Amino acid sequence: MKIGVIGSGSFATAIVKMLVENVEKVYWCVRNEYVKGAIEKRGHNPNYLTSVFFDVAHLELTTEVNELVEACDYIVLATPSIYLSDALEQMTVNCSGKIFISAIKGIVPVANDIVAHYLRERFDIGFRNQAVIAGPCHAEEVAMERLSYLTIATAEVSVAEELKKAFSSSFIKVNCSADILGNEYSAILKNIYAIGAGIASGLGYGDNFTAVFVSNAIREMERFLGAVYEIPRDVNESAYLGDLLVTAYSLFSRNRSLGNLIGKGYTVKSAIQSMNMVAEGYYAAKSIYETAQKHAIETPIINAVYRILYEDKNAEKEFENLTQVLN
């Protein structure tokens, strides 16, 4: 199996760690020569999940996207969404017949759309040549080999079986799904809800409110998914509710951390600048809000988070109003 990973952040590093358990050689396209050299010399990513050691004999490192795409049949996209187009716009090799697997939980800015649509419209990569990796699966817990669960969504059973074998290990359990767009949208939505949960925490709301908040969030997610991509699904499954729970509650959640800073009084700009990782929910909130408005979906939580992030509305007042409509 020739599989490669594009990206060198925390989740990309975690994905490579998963794959080297089963794949003889993992191709890995990293950001620059410094990162490449550090991994080759020391076996560690110098910037993220630095405790993870790699046997470099099982890695084929490069900084060139075309080199990786040409060599691989399966390509995992694991950059922050805001950097994906920078990486893929360099792609000039023939990618027909290859499977592109999105581990990205955000909106592609140049397309103002999800990765699945961007790949189809920009590169003519149809849904049958795509897959989506969903959680709940924090990179930090993968680094510690704590038991984690992935959901891999793809239209092709044979692809699902191959990817399940590649990712499964003693500390990674894999479920399969056919809900490609639902899994991708839910992974984006849960980041926005996690910002909201963080804002609530920063404002001083307690566990009781957070439980109600998350209960309403999963129902809001169900309405959104039903409006944009209506197929039978159970939002109580791990890829939906499970991923929402871990992102809303975990201290590893960068989106919750961003919201917490805003709730404590930081401006949105200063909160973003104080973080050393990308909080995908911030960049996704505007596009998701616009999609909800377009489809006339009732999304009071998304609306409140959007107004705080993009209209400079007072977080305390927005959440006071929100408490009146949650139940």
Side-chain angles (χ1 to χ4, degrees):
M1 183 180 193
K2 292 186 176 180
I3 187 166
V5 178
I6 298 175
S8 51
S10 58
F11 199 44
T13 305
I15 286 172
V16 174
K17 177 176 171 58
M18 297 177 209
L19 291 172
V20 294
E21 295 284 319
N22 302 307
V23 179
E24 181 64 26
K25 182 80 73 173
V26 177
Y27 294 78
W28 192 1
C29 182
V30 297
R31 183 178 303 171
N32 53 46
E33 289 294 336
Y34 165 71
V35 175
K36 178 176 179 284
I39 297 171
E40 288 174 336
K41 184 176 180 179
R42 301 183 181 89
H44 300 274
N45 185 330
N47 299 321
Y48 300 97
L49 302 189
T50 55
S51 64
V52 175
F53 174 77
F54 294 102
D55 181 349
V56 294
H58 295 289
L59 300 177
E60 189 68 45
L61 288 149
T62 181
T63 59
E64 299 295 329
V65 166
N66 281 318
E67 187 177 323
L68 180 139
V69 173
E70 190 165 34
C72 296
D73 302 311
Y74 296 84
I75 296 101
V76 181
L77 306 174
T79 68
S81 61
I82 58 174
Y83 302 133
L84 178 64
S85 59
D86 290 342
L88 293 191
E89 293 299 329
Q90 304 172 38
M91 190 167 63
T92 57
V93 298
N94 184 5
C95 59
S96 62
K98 297 178 185 292
I99 307 297
F100 285 77
I101 306 137
S102 174
I104 296 168
K105 300 171 175 63
I107 297 292
V108 182
V110 295
N112 195 32
D113 211 339
I114 61 174
V115 175
H117 290 158
Y118 169 69
L119 292 176
R120 184 184 63 183
E121 301 302 322
R122 176 65 181 85
F123 300 102
D124 198 27
I125 300 167
F127 293 151
R128 292 195 175 279
N129 288 88
Q130 292 189 37
V132 170
I133 294 175
C137 191
H138 276 313
E140 292 82 359
E141 293 203 349
V142 173
M144 293 182 279
E145 298 191 1
R146 290 181 176 173
L147 182 61
S148 302
Y149 288 73
L150 288 181
T151 296
I152 295 178
T154 177
E156 296 290 339
V157 174
S158 59
V159 172
E161 290 173 349
E162 285 295 310
L163 292 175
K164 185 173 183 177
K165 284 188 284 186
F167 281 95
S168 296
S169 69
S170 61
F171 58 93
I172 300 292
K173 306 298 182 187
V174 179
N175 299 310
C176 296
S177 169
D179 186 12
I180 297 176
L181 296 185
N183 274 271
E184 181 164 8
Y185 270 119
S186 69
I188 295 167
L189 289 165
K190 55 93 177 178
N191 285 331
I192 301 171
Y193 296 135
I195 291 175
I199 292 172
S201 176
L203 289 170
Y205 289 89
D207 293 342
N208 293 337
F209 174 79
T210 303
V212 173
F213 179 90
V214 172
S215 173
N216 280 263
I218 193 63
R219 283 175 272 158
E220 186 170 298
M221 180 187 290
E222 186 172 29
R223 291 194 298 272
F224 186 98
L225 296 179
V228 299
Y229 185 51
E230 187 177 6
I231 65 168
R233 66 171 61 85
D234 182 0
V235 295
N236 294 312
E237 291 178 354
S238 296
Y240 312 97
L241 178 57
D243 206 5
L244 170 61
L245 288 171
V246 75
T247 311
Y249 282 100
S250 176
L251 297 179
F252 288 131
S253 169
R254 63 194 72 172
N255 290 282
R256 187 185 190 281
S257 297
L258 175 64
N260 188 257
L261 291 172
I262 294 169
K264 288 181 181 296
Y266 283 65
T267 65
V268 174
K269 183 178 181 180
S270 62
I272 291 170
Q273 289 176 338
S274 71
M275 300 179 66
N276 65 350
M277 292 191 290
V278 174
E280 293 279 20
Y282 169 76
Y283 299 96
K286 186 173 187 293
S287 176
I288 292 296
Y289 170 81
E290 291 169 350
T291 300
Q293 295 297 300
K294 177 182 176 182
H295 291 274
I297 311 166
E298 183 187 355
T299 55
I301 297 175
I302 290 170
N303 298 352
V305 173
Y306 167 80
R307 287 192 291 265
I308 294 167
L309 296 179
Y310 287 93
E311 294 183 354
D312 199 29
K313 297 296 184 181
N314 180 272
E316 186 173 3
K317 289 181 179 178
E318 284 293 329
F319 268 72
E320 283 177 4
N321 295 335
L322 191 60
T323 63
Q324 303 306 309
V325 298
L326 301 186
N327 58 71

